[in-house]
Amino acid sequence: MTQQQIIESPRVPVPFLAPTVTKQSWSFMIGSALFAGGTAISIWDLGSANLTNILCFIGAWFFTAAGLMQVILSGNASVPVDYGAGKMFRAVWLAAAIQSFGTIMFNISTSAALTAKTVRAEERLVWNPDAGGSVAFLISAVFVYVAYYREHGRIWEPRDSGWWGAQINMIGCIAFAVSVVGAFVRTNGSTADTALANWGTFIGAICFFLASMIVLPQLRWNRHTP
C-alpha cells in the first residue's frame, strides 16, 4: 500500500461499485476475520470442519474482491524508462497483480475443500492451489518492499503506517506459507501437521487484518494532504 493511495477526499461522493482504499481495506479485513474465525474453530474444536471450510470459502471471496480493487487502485502497469525497451513494470502494480492472482488460487482451494472427496482431489484442487496462492502472496510481499523503496527512497520508516503495513503483511505471508507446509496431503489423505496448518493460517489472517486496518484512510495518522 503506497502512501499516495491512502489519500482520499471525504468530500467527493464515490459510486458504490467504485474501488477505494477504504473498501479494499475492509474487504481484506472481513476476509481475514473469516479465515481467522474458521481456523479458530478448528484449533479450539469449536465446531465442525465443514463450518471452517465454509468460513474460509466466504473469506476467500472477500480477499478476491479486495485484490481486484487493489489492482485497479495501483494504476498503470508500466512506466516509461530511458533504457531497454523503454518501459518497465511498476513494482506497486506487480505486487497488486500477483497478490490478486493468489487470492484467486485461494478461491479454487477453499471451493474445492467443500466438495473434495478423494485424496487425489484434495491434492490437486485443495493443496496445490493453496500452495500456489501462498507463494504468490510471498512474491507480492517482496514487491511491496520494492515499491515502498522506490516511492520513499528508503526501506526504514517506522513512523509511516505504510511501512508497518508492509512488515505485518510480510509476516502474514510467511505464516500462510508455513501453513501450507503443515497442510500437505499425505497419500492416506491426512495432513502433514494439522496444528501447524491451522496456526499458520490463523496467525497469517490476523496479520492481514492488522496490515489492512493500519492503512485505513480514516485513521488519524493517515490524514495527509497531497
Side-chain angles (χ1 to χ4, degrees), residues 141-190:
V142 173
F143 277 112
V144 167
Y145 283 118
V146 176
Y148 190 90
Y149 179 78
R150 286 182 177 175
E151 180 177 348
H152 296 266
R154 55 189 178 275
I155 202 66
W156 179 261
E157 189 60 55
R159 292 177 297 179
D160 179 57
S161 63
W163 182 87
W164 281 104
Q167 314 312 311
I168 300 171
N169 176 69
M170 175 59 84
I171 296 172
C173 291
I174 293 173
F176 260 38
V178 170
S179 75
V180 168
V181 176
F184 180 76
V185 180
R186 295 194 177 103
T187 55
N188 63 0
S190 64

Side-chain angles (χ1 to χ4, degrees), residues 3-224:
Q3 193 66 40
Q4 186 177 11
Q5 289 175 310
I6 291 175
I7 300 168
E8 288 183 8
S9 174
R11 302 174 185 175
V12 180
V14 179
F16 176 74
L17 294 179
T20 65
V21 175
T22 298
K23 294 175 183 177
Q24 170 195 301
S25 295
W26 273 107
S27 292
F28 270 128
M29 288 166 63
I30 294 171
S32 299
L34 289 167
F35 266 92
T39 49
I41 288 172
S42 184
I43 291 171
W44 289 290
D45 196 21
L46 302 175
S48 66
N50 192 52
L51 178 57
T52 293
N53 290 337
I54 290 173
L55 289 176
C56 289
F57 167 77
I58 299 172
W61 281 104
F62 278 97
F63 267 21
T64 299
L68 291 174
M69 284 189 278
Q70 188 168 256
V71 172
I72 296 172
L73 291 170
S74 66
N76 295 329
S78 63
V79 62
V81 295
D82 56 2
Y83 54 84
K87 285 187 177 182
M88 68 177 296
F89 281 113
R90 295 173 61 241
V92 67
W93 183 87
L94 284 172
I98 294 171
Q99 187 174 56
S100 183
F101 170 79
T103 65
I104 294 173
M105 290 296 99
F106 290 144
N107 271 134
I108 296 173
S109 176
T110 55
S111 297
L114 294 171
T115 58
K117 303 297 182 184
T118 66
V119 175
R120 180 68 169 166
E122 289 180 359
E123 180 184 358
R124 293 182 59 191
L125 300 176
V126 179
W127 189 82
N128 284 349
D130 188 25
S134 296
V135 170
F137 266 44
L138 272 175
I139 297 173
S140 170
V142 173
F143 277 112
V144 167
Y145 283 118
V146 176
Y148 190 90
Y149 179 78
R150 286 182 177 175
E151 180 177 348
H152 296 266
R154 55 189 178 275
I155 202 66
W156 179 261
E157 189 60 55
R159 292 177 297 179
D160 179 57
S161 63
W163 182 87
W164 281 104
Q167 314 312 311
I168 300 171
N169 176 69
M170 175 59 84
I171 296 172
C173 291
I174 293 173
F176 260 38
V178 170
S179 75
V180 168
V181 176
F184 180 76
V185 180
R186 295 194 177 103
T187 55
N188 63 0
S190 64
T191 56
D193 191 327
T194 302
L196 186 65
N198 287 332
W199 277 104
T201 303
F202 181 77
I203 293 171
I206 295 297
C207 287
F208 293 142
F209 182 93
L210 294 175
S212 300
M213 181 189 70
I214 202 172
V215 295
L216 278 170
Q218 292 77 14
L219 297 180
R220 179 177 56 82
W221 51 79
N222 290 326
R223 292 175 185 168
H224 302 286

